[in-house]
Amino acid sequence: MQFFVDTADVGEIAELAASGLVDGVTTNPTLVARTGRPLFDVLAEICALVPGPVSAEVAATDFDGMLREAHRLAEIAGNICVKLPLTWDGLKACRRLSAEGIATNLTLCFHPAQALLAARAGATFVSPFVGRLDDIGHRGMELVEQICAIYRNYPETIRTRVLAASIRNLGHVVEAARAGAHVATVPPAVLRAMVQHPLTDKGLAGFLADWQKTGQRIV
Ligand code: E4P
């Protein structure tokens, strides 16, 4: 499974990308607004930090407007992946951009039927939103499971990758991997939490204390 980081905070991305464990970045208008910075500056900096796909979302809701914005966003860097809402116009724009060789991410996916259309439109990624479904009392992960199962039925024709989004905790990450999602986009705090375990810390402290008693050095 690949990991994208779900933030527009350049400082956070730089720190996490230095680990070599970040395969891409997803941003959205809310995350960009949170930075208080100009969109194009933020995206150019992120694209320079992470070689993998950087999702940049259009703000237009009509086909022509989406295409205009998509082309402008795609000029920022070769690794921009244009994020489009899973609407009829978004699907049309996705189809056109896919034909032009521009990477796309169909976002705000809440039903497997939408994911089927995303695949038909040639989307590079489809983003099922897990946490937001949990928020309204559904089991969000079921959506990821269903999309992965459906896509597996068409290995010859469906190339769209399932990008589990709206991830809120470690359980979501593990369950998305079990379902077969290709990618999880995770908030920085969740990515950091993935390495933490009290028994790891306790075990390391014990090993270090015992090693010190030997009086030896490795280098
Ligand atoms: C994905 O690309 C979105 O940016 C993100 O995962 C949305 O998550 P949220 O529901 O926590 O806002």
Side-chain angles (χ1 to χ4, degrees), residues 6 26 28 31 83 129 132 165-166 168 185:
D6 196 26
T26 50
N28 64 40
L31 294 172
K83 210 177 188 190
F129 273 41
R132 293 193 192 190
S166 187
R168 305 272 167 80
T185 187

Side-chain angles (χ1 to χ4, degrees), residues 1 19 37 43 68 75 82 93 123 143 158 171 173 194 205 209 216-217:
M1 178 184 241
S19 68
R37 301 188 55 214
L43 290 172
R68 269 196 305 275
E75 281 171 7
V82 176
L143 175 61
I158 295 187
V173 177
M194 285 174 67
Q216 300 180 56
R217 293 170 68 95

Side-chain angles (χ1 to χ4, degrees), residues 5-7 25-31 34 55 57 83 105 107-108 110 127-133 135 163-168 185-187:
V5 63
D6 196 26
T7 182
V25 175
T26 50
T27 68
N28 64 40
T30 304
L31 294 172
R34 214 171 272 163
S55 286
E57 190 158 343
K83 210 177 188 190
N105 175 359
T107 190
L108 293 167
F110 292 98
S127 292
F129 273 41
V130 176
R132 293 193 192 190
L133 281 168
D135 291 346
L163 199 177
S166 187
I167 293 287
R168 305 272 167 80
T185 187
V186 292

Side-chain angles (χ1 to χ4, degrees), residues 11-214:
E12 284 268 37
I13 294 167
E15 211 172 286
L16 292 167
S19 68
L21 301 174
V22 173
D23 300 295
V25 175
T26 50
T27 68
N28 64 40
T30 304
L31 294 172
V32 173
R34 214 171 272 163
T35 68
R37 301 188 55 214
L39 172 69
F40 284 84
D41 291 357
V42 168
L43 290 172
E45 289 170 31
I46 297 173
C47 287
L49 283 169
V50 178
V54 174
S55 286
E57 190 158 343
V58 297
T61 53
D62 64 296
F63 173 73
D64 291 327
M66 283 181 185
L67 279 187
R68 269 196 305 275
E69 292 186 358
H71 288 134
R72 179 66 192 91
L73 291 168
E75 281 171 7
I76 295 172
N79 55 332
I80 283 284
C81 175
V82 176
K83 210 177 188 190
L84 302 153
L86 229 163
T87 59
W88 200 249
D89 284 60
L91 285 164
K92 275 171 62 187
C94 176
R95 184 117 182 101
R96 174 73 68 86
L97 293 168
S98 304
E100 292 174 12
I102 294 175
T104 51
N105 175 359
L106 278 177
T107 190
L108 293 167
C109 176
F110 292 98
H111 197 283
Q114 292 179 310
L116 273 170
L117 287 174
R120 193 69 193 89
T124 313
F125 299 100
V126 64
S127 292
F129 273 41
V130 176
R132 293 193 192 190
L133 281 168
D134 286 356
D135 291 346
I136 59 161
H138 292 252
R139 197 175 76 80
M141 198 52 66
E142 201 176 322
L143 175 61
V144 176
E145 291 162 2
Q146 287 182 338
I147 296 170
C148 290
I150 290 168
Y151 280 11
R152 275 197 293 268
N153 287 339
Y154 303 95
E156 303 304 325
T157 49
I158 295 187
R159 299 274 179 268
T160 302
R161 294 163 69 76
V162 180
L163 199 177
S166 187
I167 293 287
R168 305 272 167 80
N169 54 53
L170 301 189
H172 280 162
V173 177
V174 173
E175 287 306 309
R178 281 167 62 98
H182 304 90
V183 189
T185 187
V186 292
V190 175
L191 191 60
R192 288 202 175 87
M194 285 174 67
V195 74
Q196 286 160 14
H197 197 285
L199 288 179
T200 304
D201 297 341
K202 189 177 169 203
L204 181 60
F207 287 153
L208 291 179
D210 290 340
W211 178 245
Q212 224 161 18
K213 286 180 212 153
T214 71

